[in-house]
Short mmCIF file of all heavy atoms in Angstrom, two decimals:
data_model
loop_
_atom_site.label_atom_id
_atom_site.label_comp_id
_atom_site.label_asym_id
_atom_site.label_seq_id
_atom_site.Cartn_x
_atom_site.Cartn_y
_atom_site.Cartn_z
N VAL A 1 6.06 4.04 -9.93
CA VAL A 1 6.48 4.99 -8.88
C VAL A 1 6.22 6.42 -9.36
O VAL A 1 6.50 6.71 -10.54
CB VAL A 1 7.95 4.85 -8.53
CG1 VAL A 1 8.44 5.87 -7.52
CG2 VAL A 1 8.26 3.45 -8.04
N GLY A 2 5.69 7.29 -8.50
CA GLY A 2 5.38 8.65 -8.93
C GLY A 2 4.00 8.80 -9.56
O GLY A 2 3.78 9.64 -10.40
N GLY A 3 3.06 7.95 -9.01
CA GLY A 3 1.68 8.07 -9.50
C GLY A 3 1.38 7.36 -10.79
O GLY A 3 0.38 7.67 -11.48
N GLY A 4 2.17 6.38 -11.13
CA GLY A 4 1.94 5.60 -12.35
C GLY A 4 0.88 4.55 -12.21
O GLY A 4 -0.17 4.74 -11.60
N GLY A 5 1.16 3.34 -12.72
CA GLY A 5 0.17 2.27 -12.70
C GLY A 5 -0.23 1.75 -11.35
O GLY A 5 0.41 2.08 -10.35
N ARG A 6 -1.24 0.94 -11.30
CA ARG A 6 -1.77 0.43 -10.04
C ARG A 6 -0.92 -0.72 -9.50
O ARG A 6 -0.51 -1.62 -10.26
CB ARG A 6 -3.20 -0.09 -10.26
CG ARG A 6 -3.88 -0.53 -9.01
CD ARG A 6 -4.29 0.61 -8.10
NE ARG A 6 -5.41 1.41 -8.62
CZ ARG A 6 -5.98 2.40 -7.99
NH1 ARG A 6 -5.48 2.80 -6.83
NH2 ARG A 6 -6.94 3.11 -8.56
N VAL A 7 -0.61 -0.67 -8.21
CA VAL A 7 0.09 -1.72 -7.51
C VAL A 7 -0.85 -2.45 -6.62
O VAL A 7 -1.46 -1.87 -5.71
CB VAL A 7 1.29 -1.15 -6.71
CG1 VAL A 7 2.00 -2.29 -5.97
CG2 VAL A 7 2.27 -0.40 -7.65
N MET A 8 -1.07 -3.72 -6.89
CA MET A 8 -1.96 -4.57 -6.12
C MET A 8 -1.18 -5.22 -4.99
O MET A 8 -0.31 -6.03 -5.19
CB MET A 8 -2.58 -5.66 -7.00
CG MET A 8 -3.16 -5.13 -8.34
SD MET A 8 -4.56 -4.11 -8.09
CE MET A 8 -5.77 -5.32 -7.48
N VAL A 9 -1.50 -4.77 -3.73
CA VAL A 9 -0.76 -5.26 -2.60
C VAL A 9 -1.60 -6.27 -1.79
O VAL A 9 -2.61 -5.98 -1.26
CB VAL A 9 -0.48 -4.04 -1.67
CG1 VAL A 9 0.37 -4.55 -0.42
CG2 VAL A 9 0.34 -2.99 -2.41
N ARG A 10 -1.04 -7.51 -1.82
CA ARG A 10 -1.68 -8.60 -1.01
C ARG A 10 -1.24 -8.39 0.42
O ARG A 10 -0.04 -8.43 0.77
CB ARG A 10 -1.24 -9.93 -1.49
CG ARG A 10 -1.66 -10.24 -2.96
CD ARG A 10 -1.22 -11.66 -3.31
NE ARG A 10 -1.63 -12.03 -4.66
CZ ARG A 10 -0.82 -12.04 -5.71
NH1 ARG A 10 0.45 -11.68 -5.55
NH2 ARG A 10 -1.21 -12.41 -6.91
N ILE A 11 -2.23 -8.17 1.29
CA ILE A 11 -1.89 -7.81 2.72
C ILE A 11 -3.16 -8.06 3.56
O ILE A 11 -4.26 -7.99 3.03
CB ILE A 11 -1.44 -6.33 2.76
CG1 ILE A 11 -0.69 -6.01 4.03
CG2 ILE A 11 -2.62 -5.39 2.53
CD1 ILE A 11 0.08 -4.69 3.99
N GLN A 12 -2.98 -8.36 4.87
CA GLN A 12 -4.11 -8.72 5.68
C GLN A 12 -4.20 -7.91 6.98
O GLN A 12 -5.22 -7.43 7.35
CB GLN A 12 -4.01 -10.20 6.05
CG GLN A 12 -3.98 -11.16 4.88
CD GLN A 12 -5.27 -11.29 4.11
OE1 GLN A 12 -6.33 -10.71 4.49
NE2 GLN A 12 -5.26 -11.94 2.98
N ARG A 13 -3.09 -7.77 7.69
CA ARG A 13 -3.07 -7.22 9.07
C ARG A 13 -3.26 -5.73 9.09
O ARG A 13 -2.69 -5.00 8.27
CB ARG A 13 -1.80 -7.61 9.81
CG ARG A 13 -1.86 -7.53 11.27
CD ARG A 13 -0.65 -8.19 11.92
NE ARG A 13 0.55 -7.43 11.76
CZ ARG A 13 1.72 -7.79 12.30
NH1 ARG A 13 1.81 -8.86 13.00
NH2 ARG A 13 2.79 -7.03 12.13
N ALA A 14 -4.01 -5.21 10.06
CA ALA A 14 -4.30 -3.76 10.10
C ALA A 14 -3.02 -2.94 10.20
O ALA A 14 -2.87 -1.93 9.52
CB ALA A 14 -5.23 -3.50 11.24
N SER A 15 -2.12 -3.34 11.07
CA SER A 15 -0.88 -2.53 11.23
C SER A 15 -0.06 -2.52 9.92
O SER A 15 0.54 -1.48 9.61
CB SER A 15 -0.07 -3.12 12.40
OG SER A 15 0.31 -4.44 12.15
N ASP A 16 -0.03 -3.62 9.22
CA ASP A 16 0.67 -3.69 7.97
C ASP A 16 -0.03 -2.78 6.94
O ASP A 16 0.65 -2.13 6.09
CB ASP A 16 0.76 -5.08 7.42
CG ASP A 16 1.62 -6.00 8.25
OD1 ASP A 16 2.54 -5.51 8.92
OD2 ASP A 16 1.37 -7.22 8.26
N ILE A 17 -1.32 -2.73 6.96
CA ILE A 17 -2.10 -1.86 6.03
C ILE A 17 -1.74 -0.40 6.29
O ILE A 17 -1.50 0.35 5.35
CB ILE A 17 -3.61 -2.12 6.17
CG1 ILE A 17 -3.96 -3.54 5.66
CG2 ILE A 17 -4.39 -1.05 5.43
CD1 ILE A 17 -5.36 -3.96 5.92
N VAL A 18 -1.70 0.01 7.52
CA VAL A 18 -1.35 1.36 7.82
C VAL A 18 0.06 1.69 7.31
O VAL A 18 0.30 2.78 6.74
CB VAL A 18 -1.45 1.67 9.34
CG1 VAL A 18 -0.87 3.03 9.68
CG2 VAL A 18 -2.88 1.56 9.79
N ARG A 19 0.99 0.80 7.50
CA ARG A 19 2.35 1.03 7.01
C ARG A 19 2.44 1.15 5.49
O ARG A 19 3.13 1.98 4.94
CB ARG A 19 3.28 -0.06 7.50
CG ARG A 19 3.60 0.02 9.01
CD ARG A 19 4.74 -0.90 9.40
NE ARG A 19 5.07 -0.70 10.80
CZ ARG A 19 4.53 -1.31 11.83
NH1 ARG A 19 3.62 -2.27 11.62
NH2 ARG A 19 4.93 -1.03 13.07
N VAL A 20 1.68 0.29 4.80
CA VAL A 20 1.76 0.40 3.34
C VAL A 20 1.04 1.63 2.83
O VAL A 20 1.41 2.27 1.81
CB VAL A 20 1.13 -0.89 2.68
CG1 VAL A 20 -0.39 -0.87 2.70
CG2 VAL A 20 1.67 -1.01 1.24
N LEU A 21 0.01 2.13 3.57
CA LEU A 21 -0.59 3.39 3.21
C LEU A 21 0.39 4.53 3.36
O LEU A 21 0.49 5.40 2.47
CB LEU A 21 -1.84 3.69 4.08
CG LEU A 21 -3.06 2.78 3.89
CD1 LEU A 21 -4.13 3.10 4.90
CD2 LEU A 21 -3.60 2.88 2.46
N ARG A 22 1.16 4.55 4.42
CA ARG A 22 2.20 5.57 4.65
C ARG A 22 3.22 5.49 3.58
O ARG A 22 3.71 6.49 3.00
CB ARG A 22 2.79 5.42 6.02
CG ARG A 22 1.90 5.69 7.21
CD ARG A 22 2.58 5.39 8.49
NE ARG A 22 1.77 5.71 9.66
CZ ARG A 22 2.17 5.38 10.92
NH1 ARG A 22 3.30 4.75 11.14
NH2 ARG A 22 1.35 5.67 11.94
N TRP A 23 3.68 4.26 3.28
CA TRP A 23 4.74 4.06 2.28
C TRP A 23 4.29 4.52 0.91
O TRP A 23 5.06 5.22 0.21
CB TRP A 23 5.14 2.57 2.26
CG TRP A 23 6.15 2.24 1.22
CD1 TRP A 23 7.53 2.27 1.43
CD2 TRP A 23 5.94 1.79 -0.09
NE1 TRP A 23 8.15 1.90 0.28
CE2 TRP A 23 7.23 1.58 -0.69
CE3 TRP A 23 4.81 1.54 -0.88
CZ2 TRP A 23 7.38 1.18 -1.99
CZ3 TRP A 23 4.95 1.14 -2.22
CH2 TRP A 23 6.21 0.93 -2.73
N ALA A 24 3.09 4.19 0.52
CA ALA A 24 2.56 4.58 -0.80
C ALA A 24 2.42 6.09 -0.91
O ALA A 24 2.70 6.71 -1.93
CB ALA A 24 1.20 3.93 -1.02
N LYS A 25 1.99 6.73 0.20
CA LYS A 25 1.85 8.21 0.18
C LYS A 25 3.19 8.88 0.04
O LYS A 25 3.36 9.82 -0.76
CB LYS A 25 1.09 8.67 1.42
CG LYS A 25 0.91 10.22 1.42
CD LYS A 25 0.17 10.62 2.70
CE LYS A 25 -0.05 12.14 2.74
NZ LYS A 25 -0.79 12.56 3.92
N ALA A 26 4.16 8.41 0.80
CA ALA A 26 5.49 9.01 0.76
C ALA A 26 6.17 8.88 -0.58
O ALA A 26 6.98 9.75 -0.95
CB ALA A 26 6.35 8.41 1.89
N ARG A 27 5.87 7.83 -1.32
CA ARG A 27 6.57 7.51 -2.56
C ARG A 27 5.65 7.71 -3.78
O ARG A 27 6.03 7.36 -4.88
CB ARG A 27 7.18 6.15 -2.53
CG ARG A 27 8.36 6.13 -1.57
CD ARG A 27 8.58 4.75 -0.94
NE ARG A 27 9.64 4.83 0.10
CZ ARG A 27 9.40 5.23 1.34
NH1 ARG A 27 8.22 5.65 1.73
NH2 ARG A 27 10.41 5.27 2.22
N ASN A 28 4.46 8.23 -3.50
CA ASN A 28 3.50 8.50 -4.64
C ASN A 28 3.24 7.27 -5.45
O ASN A 28 3.46 7.27 -6.70
CB ASN A 28 3.97 9.66 -5.46
CG ASN A 28 2.87 10.24 -6.41
OD1 ASN A 28 1.69 9.92 -6.16
ND2 ASN A 28 3.24 10.97 -7.37
N VAL A 29 2.83 6.20 -4.76
CA VAL A 29 2.54 4.94 -5.47
C VAL A 29 1.01 4.67 -5.32
O VAL A 29 0.49 4.75 -4.23
CB VAL A 29 3.33 3.76 -4.82
CG1 VAL A 29 2.96 2.45 -5.50
CG2 VAL A 29 4.83 4.01 -4.95
N ARG A 30 0.36 4.40 -6.43
CA ARG A 30 -1.08 4.16 -6.48
C ARG A 30 -1.34 2.63 -6.15
O ARG A 30 -1.08 1.80 -6.98
CB ARG A 30 -1.70 4.49 -7.81
CG ARG A 30 -1.63 5.99 -8.18
CD ARG A 30 -2.11 6.23 -9.58
NE ARG A 30 -3.48 5.77 -9.77
CZ ARG A 30 -3.85 4.82 -10.61
NH1 ARG A 30 -2.96 4.15 -11.34
NH2 ARG A 30 -5.12 4.47 -10.74
N ILE A 31 -1.83 2.38 -4.95
CA ILE A 31 -2.00 1.01 -4.52
C ILE A 31 -3.48 0.64 -4.45
O ILE A 31 -4.35 1.52 -4.41
CB ILE A 31 -1.35 0.73 -3.18
CG1 ILE A 31 -2.05 1.57 -2.05
CG2 ILE A 31 0.14 0.98 -3.25
CD1 ILE A 31 -1.63 1.18 -0.65
N ALA A 32 -3.77 -0.67 -4.53
CA ALA A 32 -5.04 -1.24 -4.11
C ALA A 32 -4.66 -2.37 -3.16
O ALA A 32 -3.63 -3.01 -3.26
CB ALA A 32 -5.78 -1.77 -5.33
N LEU A 33 -5.56 -2.59 -2.22
CA LEU A 33 -5.34 -3.69 -1.21
C LEU A 33 -6.08 -4.91 -1.63
O LEU A 33 -7.21 -4.85 -2.07
CB LEU A 33 -5.81 -3.27 0.15
CG LEU A 33 -5.20 -1.94 0.74
CD1 LEU A 33 -5.72 -1.64 2.11
CD2 LEU A 33 -3.65 -2.00 0.76
N VAL A 34 -5.47 -6.07 -1.48
CA VAL A 34 -6.07 -7.36 -1.88
C VAL A 34 -6.04 -8.27 -0.62
O VAL A 34 -5.02 -8.45 0.01
CB VAL A 34 -5.28 -8.01 -3.00
CG1 VAL A 34 -5.88 -9.39 -3.35
CG2 VAL A 34 -5.19 -7.14 -4.21
N GLY A 35 -7.22 -8.80 -0.30
CA GLY A 35 -7.38 -9.62 0.86
C GLY A 35 -7.86 -8.74 2.02
O GLY A 35 -9.05 -8.71 2.32
N ALA A 36 -6.93 -8.05 2.67
CA ALA A 36 -7.26 -7.00 3.64
C ALA A 36 -8.30 -7.41 4.71
O ALA A 36 -9.27 -6.72 4.92
CB ALA A 36 -7.69 -5.72 2.89
#
């Protein structure tokens, strides 16, 4: 949290992807999407 290590998010649906992008930006979490 706060720009630290990479968080690998297993996720598929477009609407869920948008929500996790918002969540990661608001909490400064460095994510990568898996599956997608």
